Amino acid sequence: MIIRKMEEKDLEAVSAICLASFLQSVADSLSDEGVSTFSTIAASHSFGERMKGDNLMLVAESDGKTVGVIELKQGRHVAMLFVSPDYQKKGVGKKLLAAALEHARTDIVTVSASLSSVPAYEKYGFECKGATGESEGLIYQPMEIELNSSMHAK
């Protein structure tokens, strides 16, 4: 498996992975507004716009096929972490997260985790911080990881 920076040629595949994974594990727990909000955020043109900003975007590639994506915003916040449903529970997310955290610019990295992804983030070393929130129909659990102790020790 290769972890590399996302390129424009990856936009369609990355968008499809995010939507497939979201529809499988998150969408049923949200309102129509939340599903619509996520669909806009995960659209290929939205990823393309964010590529121009201060966002690190990495993809996981297996046998030439894009199978996962992570987006690290401003070196301090995991904005997206999605793995193709066929490749979940195979270490892809863990590898993507480890690669992205190498580029972190702060000791504490945050994520607004979908409720269904909280157990995965806990396995990665994140801890819940505060009450669940809601923004434009998306329900999330604020979480964070302190890098100087948890990641560097592993």
Side-chain angles (χ1 to χ4, degrees), residues 27-49:
D28 289 348
S29 65
L30 299 177
S31 65
D32 288 347
E33 179 192 19
V35 173
S36 173
T37 297
F38 182 83
S39 297
T40 300
I41 294 167
S44 55
H45 66 86
S46 296
F47 269 109
E49 284 302 308

Side-chain angles (χ1 to χ4, degrees), residues 37-141:
T37 297
F38 182 83
S39 297
T40 300
I41 294 167
S44 55
H45 66 86
S46 296
F47 269 109
E49 284 302 308
R50 292 196 305 277
M51 279 177 82
K52 299 172 188 168
D54 186 13
N55 293 6
L56 171 73
M57 296 183 186
L58 301 174
V59 295
E61 198 174 77
S62 180
D63 298 323
K65 182 180 176 193
T66 303
V67 298
V69 62
I70 190 166
E71 179 177 352
L72 185 66
K73 231 170 141 175
Q74 301 169 338
R76 63 179 177 76
H77 181 78
V78 177
M80 293 282 224
L81 174 54
F82 284 93
V83 175
S84 173
D86 296 342
Y87 287 83
Q88 289 178 6
K89 300 195 184 331
K90 295 183 175 158
V92 176
K94 186 176 185 175
K95 286 181 178 139
L96 280 166
L97 184 64
L101 291 179
E102 288 177 18
H103 297 274
R105 300 191 297 243
T106 58
D107 286 341
I108 294 178
V109 173
T110 59
V111 65
S112 298
S114 64
L115 301 186
S116 62
S117 67
V118 168
Y121 280 107
E122 286 176 333
K123 269 196 245 172
Y124 299 147
F126 282 77
E127 295 178 3
C128 294
K129 293 291 177 185
T132 58
E134 187 267 333
S135 175
E136 297 181 63
L138 295 174
I139 300 166
Y140 62 91
Q141 171 63 57

